[in-house]
């Protein structure tokens, strides 16, 4: 053994060359992620009740038992997620957008219907909750920015 090789760490094995297909897939996924049309959950797996990220339509409304449903979530208790796409998030955003249009209140518009109940959606929900308390009596619903059992019936009023 000579001095030049004594104690030297071996060089790593050469990496296999990237294929053109793999590079195109990586570039496409990167472009979609940057455009905001692809969401990858932080944990690497979708949480229960989550659906794929996209921009959703609110045109499929149906009136049933005195309430409007947009076809994504039919319950009255789920609280959407601020970090992942949920069906209750899409439903609540559709309802908020409709309330905004029906009442002529831009502060109730959640913005993009993407199912992620982020700060815009929470601000819109707080505006609706304040409106409910002004219209139906102080303390009717809590003003916390989240749809829940108290707020869902008022979200279901609009189409």
């Amino acid at each position: 053994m000579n001095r030049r090789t004594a104690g030297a760490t071996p060089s790593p094995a050469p990496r296999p060359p990237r294929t053109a297909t793999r590079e195109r897939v990586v570039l496409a996924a990167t472009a979609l992620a940057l455009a905001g049309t692809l969401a990858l959950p932080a944990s690497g797996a979708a949480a229960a009740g989550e659906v794929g990220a996209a921009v959703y339509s609110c045109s499929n409304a149906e009136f049933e038992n005195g309430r409007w449903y947009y076809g994504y979530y039919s319950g009255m208790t789920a609280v959407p997620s601020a970090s992942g796409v949920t069906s209750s998030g899409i439903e609540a955003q559709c309802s908020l957008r409709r309330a905004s249009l029906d009442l002529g209140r831009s502060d109730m518009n959640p913005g993009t219907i993407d199912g992620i109940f982020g700060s815009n959606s929470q601000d819109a929900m707080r505006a609706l909750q304040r409106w409910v308390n002004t219209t139906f009596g102080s303390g009717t619903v809590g003003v916390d920015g989240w749809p829940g059992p108290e707020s869902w019936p008022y979200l279901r009023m609009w189409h």
Side-chain angles (χ1 to χ4, degrees), residues 43-125:
S43 67
E50 291 186 0
V51 294
V55 175
Y56 296 92
S57 169
C58 299
S59 62
N60 48 345
E62 291 185 20
F63 191 70
E64 184 179 312
N65 298 324
R67 296 190 170 108
W68 286 100
Y69 295 86
Y70 291 88
Y72 297 102
Y73 170 70
S74 61
M76 301 284 276
T77 59
V79 177
S81 171
S83 61
V85 177
T86 61
S87 55
S88 60
I90 302 167
E91 187 80 13
Q93 288 173 332
C94 285
S95 295
L96 283 166
R97 175 173 285 169
R98 192 70 240 175
S100 171
L101 292 170
D102 287 355
L103 295 171
R105 300 272 309 258
S106 62
D107 59 339
M108 291 181 193
N109 188 334
T112 303
I113 308 300
D114 61 4
I116 300 170
F117 216 76
S119 60
N120 289 341
S121 297
Q122 291 170 43
D123 289 344
M125 189 68 215

